[in-house]
Amino acid sequence: MILTYKNKQAKNDIISGNSKAKFEVIFGVGAKNKLIHADNLSALKTLLGDYAAKVDLIYIDPPFATNGHFKISDDRANTISSSNGDAIAYSDTLIGTDFLEFLRERLIFLRELLSERGSIYLHIDYKIGHYVKIIMDEVFGINNFRNDITRIKCNPKNFSRKAYGNIKDVILFYSKSENPIWNEPRLPFSDADEERLFKKVDKDGRRYTTIPLHAPGETANGKTGKEWRGIQPPKGRHWRSAPAALEEWDKQGLIEWSANGVPRKKNYLDEKNGKKMQDIWEFKDPQYPQYPTEKSLDLLKFIVEASSNEGDLVLDCFCGSGTTLIAAQELGRNWIGIDKSEQAIKVAQKKLAKMPSSLFSNVEYEFLKEL
Ligand SMILES: C[S@@+](CC[C@H](N)C(=O)[O-])C[C@H]1O[C@@H](n2cnc3c(N)ncnc32)[C@H](O)[C@@H]1O
């Protein structure tokens, strides 16, 4: 499925047609981390020279085609307005297919920058997000689509319009290939989970549940397909271990026998490493943002930890106040941030400079400005 629209350019024309940015290094010559003040299209093209297939993780939070202006205002940093005197941080005035093509151009360069095991997370809202999903499928391949994460961003709002409230936005997660960097995030079980999922308690007070002693799949010739204690695994299934291991489990009290002689494996809560993270996340945005639409640092740290390793390179080419860069820095990753707004660059520099000295002492970054 491909989205067709009038102003859609050929991929090759995008790659060959955009001019590179010329950068002036403001300080930190040669440092691994870079804060680039430029339009990201020309900056990405320039970066392709040195960083093709070298970026391990990309997070972007582009404008959402809201047709508004976002202002730096201490008390109302997230409101859209154009009539008072606050400094405009950035304008979000591309809409419809102009917006989609603006994003597609950048995504095409971003794919070239991603390493084979790299991933991209794209933050977008519920109004334009479904069109962006189709563009992402086209650029990264529908097979590389991993999740559309629902992010709960704020407390419920009581809009007067005749519709349900909106407390979520969307994060589209794609990998470059089948085997992305992945540090499985695990969450602790809540008390309610423990009671619901591990209903039984043994004589030592340990919570557990039981699962079938067999699993799907035939092993016609293997040991796990053989009879054990006079019982054959059901058709299409095999024992979880060979009969000798089942004997050992039984000796250790790890098998529970039902009244009518059906064995099940005991799974203890205290041997589990929490539960899998699902695709509805609650990471509310900062209550006192320093920049409009500033995202939660915890959200960014979560993504950086799950999809990159120490020493990897993280890129955010709509970096705003630098939330991604701070997360990457705190977690020992290298980073490149790009933004064309002077206000964004100022806030990002201020936030980087405020990092605890133990973390900041080895923050070296090149500050580049487009000429
Ligand atoms: C939604 S904000 C990002 C906020 C950021 N995630 C944070 O936590 O602060 C989008 C940013 O994209 C930047 N931007 C928009 N168009 C751009 C372009 N063509 N090149 C570089 N930056 C751009 C804007 O200046 C703005 O700072």
PDB file of all heavy atoms in Angstrom, residues 69-86 287-289 291-293:
ATOM      1  N   HIS A  69       1.677  28.230  15.714  1.00  0.00           N
ATOM      2  CA  HIS A  69       3.008  28.697  16.114  1.00  0.00           C
ATOM      3  C   HIS A  69       3.195  28.343  17.584  1.00  0.00           C
ATOM      4  O   HIS A  69       2.283  28.523  18.381  1.00  0.00           O
ATOM      5  CB  HIS A  69       3.120  30.216  15.943  1.00  0.00           C
ATOM      6  CG  HIS A  69       2.823  30.656  14.548  1.00  0.00           C
ATOM      7  ND1 HIS A  69       3.730  30.573  13.536  1.00  0.00           N
ATOM      8  CD2 HIS A  69       1.683  31.159  14.005  1.00  0.00           C
ATOM      9  CE1 HIS A  69       3.177  31.007  12.418  1.00  0.00           C
ATOM     10  NE2 HIS A  69       1.927  31.372  12.680  1.00  0.00           N
ATOM     11  N   PHE A  70       4.346  27.857  17.923  1.00  0.00           N
ATOM     12  CA  PHE A  70       4.618  27.466  19.310  1.00  0.00           C
ATOM     13  C   PHE A  70       5.575  28.468  19.923  1.00  0.00           C
ATOM     14  O   PHE A  70       6.610  28.783  19.325  1.00  0.00           O
ATOM     15  CB  PHE A  70       5.202  26.049  19.363  1.00  0.00           C
ATOM     16  CG  PHE A  70       4.189  24.998  19.046  1.00  0.00           C
ATOM     17  CD1 PHE A  70       3.829  24.740  17.728  1.00  0.00           C
ATOM     18  CD2 PHE A  70       3.558  24.299  20.059  1.00  0.00           C
ATOM     19  CE1 PHE A  70       2.867  23.784  17.437  1.00  0.00           C
ATOM     20  CE2 PHE A  70       2.603  23.341  19.778  1.00  0.00           C
ATOM     21  CZ  PHE A  70       2.253  23.086  18.466  1.00  0.00           C
ATOM     22  N   LYS A  71       5.178  28.970  21.092  1.00  0.00           N
ATOM     23  CA  LYS A  71       5.933  30.064  21.687  1.00  0.00           C
ATOM     24  C   LYS A  71       6.603  29.663  22.983  1.00  0.00           C
ATOM     25  O   LYS A  71       6.084  28.825  23.710  1.00  0.00           O
ATOM     26  CB  LYS A  71       4.980  31.223  21.968  1.00  0.00           C
ATOM     27  CG  LYS A  71       4.274  31.661  20.709  1.00  0.00           C
ATOM     28  CD  LYS A  71       3.541  32.933  20.905  1.00  0.00           C
ATOM     29  CE  LYS A  71       3.484  33.644  19.579  1.00  0.00           C
ATOM     30  NZ  LYS A  71       3.285  35.061  19.740  1.00  0.00           N
ATOM     31  N   ILE A  72       7.727  30.301  23.236  1.00  0.00           N
ATOM     32  CA  ILE A  72       8.374  30.146  24.537  1.00  0.00           C
ATOM     33  C   ILE A  72       7.647  31.087  25.489  1.00  0.00           C
ATOM     34  O   ILE A  72       7.631  32.283  25.288  1.00  0.00           O
ATOM     35  CB  ILE A  72       9.844  30.588  24.485  1.00  0.00           C
ATOM     36  CG1 ILE A  72      10.633  29.715  23.536  1.00  0.00           C
ATOM     37  CG2 ILE A  72      10.444  30.659  25.870  1.00  0.00           C
ATOM     38  CD1 ILE A  72      11.447  28.641  24.148  1.00  0.00           C
ATOM     39  N   SER A  73       7.016  30.519  26.449  1.00  0.00           N
ATOM     40  CA  SER A  73       6.323  31.345  27.415  1.00  0.00           C
ATOM     41  C   SER A  73       6.363  30.592  28.720  1.00  0.00           C
ATOM     42  O   SER A  73       5.965  29.440  28.780  1.00  0.00           O
ATOM     43  CB  SER A  73       4.876  31.541  26.955  1.00  0.00           C
ATOM     44  OG  SER A  73       4.078  31.921  28.034  1.00  0.00           O
ATOM     45  N   ASP A  74       6.862  31.237  29.759  1.00  0.00           N
ATOM     46  CA  ASP A  74       7.086  30.520  31.009  1.00  0.00           C
ATOM     47  C   ASP A  74       5.859  29.767  31.478  1.00  0.00           C
ATOM     48  O   ASP A  74       5.910  28.620  31.855  1.00  0.00           O
ATOM     49  CB  ASP A  74       7.505  31.490  32.110  1.00  0.00           C
ATOM     50  CG  ASP A  74       8.923  31.925  31.858  1.00  0.00           C
ATOM     51  OD1 ASP A  74       9.618  31.209  31.107  1.00  0.00           O
ATOM     52  OD2 ASP A  74       9.320  32.952  32.371  1.00  0.00           O
ATOM     53  N   ASP A  75       4.692  30.446  31.409  1.00  0.00           N
ATOM     54  CA  ASP A  75       3.524  29.818  32.012  1.00  0.00           C
ATOM     55  C   ASP A  75       2.704  29.021  31.012  1.00  0.00           C
ATOM     56  O   ASP A  75       1.886  28.229  31.395  1.00  0.00           O
ATOM     57  CB  ASP A  75       2.642  30.874  32.697  1.00  0.00           C
ATOM     58  CG  ASP A  75       2.298  32.007  31.758  1.00  0.00           C
ATOM     59  OD1 ASP A  75       3.020  32.169  30.755  1.00  0.00           O
ATOM     60  OD2 ASP A  75       1.311  32.703  32.015  1.00  0.00           O
ATOM     61  N   ARG A  76       2.917  29.242  29.718  1.00  0.00           N
ATOM     62  CA  ARG A  76       2.047  28.560  28.773  1.00  0.00           C
ATOM     63  C   ARG A  76       2.864  27.970  27.629  1.00  0.00           C
ATOM     64  O   ARG A  76       2.544  28.121  26.462  1.00  0.00           O
ATOM     65  CB  ARG A  76       1.024  29.547  28.196  1.00  0.00           C
ATOM     66  CG  ARG A  76       0.092  30.127  29.245  1.00  0.00           C
ATOM     67  CD  ARG A  76      -0.886  31.121  28.646  1.00  0.00           C
ATOM     68  NE  ARG A  76      -0.182  32.145  27.884  1.00  0.00           N
ATOM     69  CZ  ARG A  76      -0.259  32.251  26.575  1.00  0.00           C
ATOM     70  NH1 ARG A  76      -0.960  31.419  25.881  1.00  0.00           N
ATOM     71  NH2 ARG A  76       0.391  33.210  25.958  1.00  0.00           N
ATOM     72  N   ALA A  77       3.948  27.302  27.997  1.00  0.00           N
ATOM     73  CA  ALA A  77       4.878  26.880  26.948  1.00  0.00           C
ATOM     74  C   ALA A  77       4.272  25.906  25.953  1.00  0.00           C
ATOM     75  O   ALA A  77       4.788  25.726  24.885  1.00  0.00           O
ATOM     76  CB  ALA A  77       6.118  26.259  27.580  1.00  0.00           C
ATOM     77  N   ASN A  78       3.147  25.312  26.285  1.00  0.00           N
ATOM     78  CA  ASN A  78       2.602  24.347  25.333  1.00  0.00           C
ATOM     79  C   ASN A  78       1.390  24.875  24.571  1.00  0.00           C
ATOM     80  O   ASN A  78       0.727  24.123  23.894  1.00  0.00           O
ATOM     81  CB  ASN A  78       2.203  23.057  26.054  1.00  0.00           C
ATOM     82  CG  ASN A  78       3.401  22.145  26.168  1.00  0.00           C
ATOM     83  OD1 ASN A  78       4.218  22.101  25.260  1.00  0.00           O
ATOM     84  ND2 ASN A  78       3.497  21.448  27.268  1.00  0.00           N
ATOM     85  N   THR A  79       1.086  26.163  24.705  1.00  0.00           N
ATOM     86  CA  THR A  79      -0.098  26.629  23.991  1.00  0.00           C
ATOM     87  C   THR A  79       0.289  27.128  22.608  1.00  0.00           C
ATOM     88  O   THR A  79       1.407  27.559  22.370  1.00  0.00           O
ATOM     89  CB  THR A  79      -0.803  27.775  24.733  1.00  0.00           C
ATOM     90  OG1 THR A  79       0.135  28.810  24.913  1.00  0.00           O
ATOM     91  CG2 THR A  79      -1.356  27.331  26.063  1.00  0.00           C
ATOM     92  N   ILE A  80      -0.649  27.049  21.716  1.00  0.00           N
ATOM     93  CA  ILE A  80      -0.415  27.537  20.358  1.00  0.00           C
ATOM     94  C   ILE A  80      -1.082  28.902  20.275  1.00  0.00           C
ATOM     95  O   ILE A  80      -2.255  29.017  20.550  1.00  0.00           O
ATOM     96  CB  ILE A  80      -1.085  26.616  19.316  1.00  0.00           C
ATOM     97  CG1 ILE A  80      -0.695  25.174  19.549  1.00  0.00           C
ATOM     98  CG2 ILE A  80      -0.768  27.062  17.923  1.00  0.00           C
ATOM     99  CD1 ILE A  80      -1.481  24.206  18.691  1.00  0.00           C
ATOM    100  N   SER A  81      -0.320  29.885  19.905  1.00  0.00           N
ATOM    101  CA  SER A  81      -0.911  31.215  19.827  1.00  0.00           C
ATOM    102  C   SER A  81      -0.002  32.073  18.972  1.00  0.00           C
ATOM    103  O   SER A  81       1.158  31.783  18.777  1.00  0.00           O
ATOM    104  CB  SER A  81      -1.028  31.770  21.243  1.00  0.00           C
ATOM    105  OG  SER A  81      -0.759  33.128  21.261  1.00  0.00           O
ATOM    106  N   SER A  82      -0.538  33.105  18.401  1.00  0.00           N
ATOM    107  CA  SER A  82       0.340  33.948  17.604  1.00  0.00           C
ATOM    108  C   SER A  82       0.108  35.419  17.895  1.00  0.00           C
ATOM    109  O   SER A  82       0.637  36.273  17.244  1.00  0.00           O
ATOM    110  CB  SER A  82       0.104  33.687  16.121  1.00  0.00           C
ATOM    111  OG  SER A  82      -1.254  33.855  15.843  1.00  0.00           O
ATOM    112  N   SER A  83      -0.723  35.686  18.902  1.00  0.00           N
ATOM    113  CA  SER A  83      -1.108  37.084  19.051  1.00  0.00           C
ATOM    114  C   SER A  83      -0.399  37.827  20.195  1.00  0.00           C
ATOM    115  O   SER A  83      -0.470  39.029  20.265  1.00  0.00           O
ATOM    116  CB  SER A  83      -2.617  37.164  19.264  1.00  0.00           C
ATOM    117  OG  SER A  83      -2.927  36.389  20.393  1.00  0.00           O
ATOM    118  N   ASN A  84       0.277  37.150  21.105  1.00  0.00           N
ATOM    119  CA  ASN A  84       0.942  37.936  22.151  1.00  0.00           C
ATOM    120  C   ASN A  84       2.436  38.071  21.848  1.00  0.00           C
ATOM    121  O   ASN A  84       2.920  37.635  20.805  1.00  0.00           O
ATOM    122  CB  ASN A  84       0.663  37.342  23.542  1.00  0.00           C
ATOM    123  CG  ASN A  84       1.280  35.971  23.692  1.00  0.00           C
ATOM    124  OD1 ASN A  84       2.232  35.647  23.005  1.00  0.00           O
ATOM    125  ND2 ASN A  84       0.727  35.175  24.583  1.00  0.00           N
ATOM    126  N   GLY A  85       3.140  38.657  22.757  1.00  0.00           N
ATOM    127  CA  GLY A  85       4.512  39.037  22.441  1.00  0.00           C
ATOM    128  C   GLY A  85       5.575  37.979  22.680  1.00  0.00           C
ATOM    129  O   GLY A  85       6.750  38.242  22.475  1.00  0.00           O
ATOM    130  N   ASP A  86       5.197  36.758  23.098  1.00  0.00           N
ATOM    131  CA  ASP A  86       6.218  35.745  23.390  1.00  0.00           C
ATOM    132  C   ASP A  86       6.990  35.365  22.133  1.00  0.00           C
ATOM    133  O   ASP A  86       6.448  35.351  21.040  1.00  0.00           O
ATOM    134  CB  ASP A  86       5.557  34.493  23.963  1.00  0.00           C
ATOM    135  CG  ASP A  86       4.825  34.782  25.256  1.00  0.00           C
ATOM    136  OD1 ASP A  86       5.237  35.716  25.957  1.00  0.00           O
ATOM    137  OD2 ASP A  86       3.834  34.083  25.541  1.00  0.00           O
ATOM    138  N   GLN A 287       5.615  19.101  33.628  1.00  0.00           N
ATOM    139  CA  GLN A 287       4.601  20.071  34.054  1.00  0.00           C
ATOM    140  C   GLN A 287       5.070  21.508  33.787  1.00  0.00           C
ATOM    141  O   GLN A 287       4.286  22.384  33.503  1.00  0.00           O
ATOM    142  CB  GLN A 287       4.349  19.881  35.544  1.00  0.00           C
ATOM    143  CG  GLN A 287       2.915  20.061  35.891  1.00  0.00           C
ATOM    144  CD  GLN A 287       2.707  19.891  37.388  1.00  0.00           C
ATOM    145  OE1 GLN A 287       3.582  19.366  38.104  1.00  0.00           O
ATOM    146  NE2 GLN A 287       1.571  20.340  37.878  1.00  0.00           N
ATOM    147  N   TYR A 288       6.372  21.720  33.899  1.00  0.00           N
ATOM    148  CA  TYR A 288       6.920  23.066  33.667  1.00  0.00           C
ATOM    149  C   TYR A 288       7.958  22.996  32.551  1.00  0.00           C
ATOM    150  O   TYR A 288       9.161  23.040  32.807  1.00  0.00           O
ATOM    151  CB  TYR A 288       7.550  23.616  34.949  1.00  0.00           C
ATOM    152  CG  TYR A 288       6.562  23.684  36.090  1.00  0.00           C
ATOM    153  CD1 TYR A 288       6.614  22.766  37.131  1.00  0.00           C
ATOM    154  CD2 TYR A 288       5.543  24.641  36.077  1.00  0.00           C
ATOM    155  CE1 TYR A 288       5.679  22.797  38.161  1.00  0.00           C
ATOM    156  CE2 TYR A 288       4.599  24.676  37.099  1.00  0.00           C
ATOM    157  CZ  TYR A 288       4.680  23.755  38.136  1.00  0.00           C
ATOM    158  OH  TYR A 288       3.747  23.779  39.146  1.00  0.00           O
ATOM    159  N   PRO A 289       7.488  22.872  31.297  1.00  0.00           N
ATOM    160  CA  PRO A 289       8.435  22.703  30.193  1.00  0.00           C
ATOM    161  C   PRO A 289       9.241  23.974  29.961  1.00  0.00           C
ATOM    162  O   PRO A 289       8.754  25.084  30.197  1.00  0.00           O
ATOM    163  CB  PRO A 289       7.524  22.419  28.998  1.00  0.00           C
ATOM    164  CG  PRO A 289       6.196  22.971  29.363  1.00  0.00           C
ATOM    165  CD  PRO A 289       6.082  22.901  30.852  1.00  0.00           C
ATOM    166  N   TYR A 291      10.460  24.395  26.992  1.00  0.00           N
ATOM    167  CA  TYR A 291      10.309  24.555  25.541  1.00  0.00           C
ATOM    168  C   TYR A 291       8.951  23.985  25.159  1.00  0.00           C
ATOM    169  O   TYR A 291       8.514  22.982  25.724  1.00  0.00           O
ATOM    170  CB  TYR A 291      11.432  23.761  24.844  1.00  0.00           C
ATOM    171  CG  TYR A 291      11.536  24.007  23.359  1.00  0.00           C
ATOM    172  CD1 TYR A 291      12.046  25.202  22.874  1.00  0.00           C
ATOM    173  CD2 TYR A 291      11.115  23.042  22.440  1.00  0.00           C
ATOM    174  CE1 TYR A 291      12.138  25.430  21.508  1.00  0.00           C
ATOM    175  CE2 TYR A 291      11.210  23.266  21.078  1.00  0.00           C
ATOM    176  CZ  TYR A 291      11.718  24.461  20.616  1.00  0.00           C
ATOM    177  OH  TYR A 291      11.809  24.684  19.262  1.00  0.00           O
ATOM    178  N   PRO A 292       8.252  24.610  24.186  1.00  0.00           N
ATOM    179  CA  PRO A 292       6.937  24.076  23.837  1.00  0.00           C
ATOM    180  C   PRO A 292       7.048  22.646  23.315  1.00  0.00           C
ATOM    181  O   PRO A 292       7.990  22.326  22.584  1.00  0.00           O
ATOM    182  CB  PRO A 292       6.441  25.007  22.731  1.00  0.00           C
ATOM    183  CG  PRO A 292       7.583  25.845  22.329  1.00  0.00           C
ATOM    184  CD  PRO A 292       8.613  25.798  23.406  1.00  0.00           C
ATOM    185  N   THR A 293       6.093  21.836  23.688  1.00  0.00           N
ATOM    186  CA  THR A 293       6.007  20.419  23.290  1.00  0.00           C
ATOM    187  C   THR A 293       7.224  19.592  23.732  1.00  0.00           C
ATOM    188  O   THR A 293       7.527  18.552  23.147  1.00  0.00           O
ATOM    189  CB  THR A 293       5.778  20.227  21.757  1.00  0.00           C
ATOM    190  OG1 THR A 293       6.942  20.632  21.062  1.00  0.00           O
ATOM    191  CG2 THR A 293       4.583  20.980  21.253  1.00  0.00           C
TER     192      THR A 293
END
